[in-house]
Amino acid sequence: MSNREIGAKLFLSPRTVGAHLYRIFPKLGITSRAALRDALTDTAEADPEK
């Protein structure tokens, strides 16, 4: 999803979404949205309660 699409769903500006992604990518050691998706999928599979 684009920043604009994410922002629309969460009632945030696209710039706010971009800023959050910009800060979280280095913390997770990732460089792309696909890697973020994979990281979140791996986390969800490891803990099905969430």
Side-chain angles (χ1 to χ4, degrees), residues 36-46:
L36 177 61
R37 178 198 62 224
D38 295 342
L40 293 174
T41 301
D42 292 344
T43 301
E45 290 173 357

Side-chain angles (χ1 to χ4, degrees), residues 14-49:
R15 289 190 60 154
T16 300
V17 174
H20 285 292
L21 292 175
Y22 177 80
R23 285 186 287 160
I24 198 67
F25 278 20
K27 291 179 182 179
L28 295 175
I30 59 175
T31 58
S32 70
R33 290 174 187 256
L36 177 61
R37 178 198 62 224
D38 295 342
L40 293 174
T41 301
D42 292 344
T43 301
E45 290 173 357
D47 190 2
E49 293 287 323

Side-chain angles (χ1 to χ4, degrees), residues 4-17:
R4 186 178 303 258
E5 292 169 331
I6 295 168
K9 288 187 178 249
L10 299 176
F11 304 102
L12 299 170
S13 78
R15 289 190 60 154
T16 300
V17 174

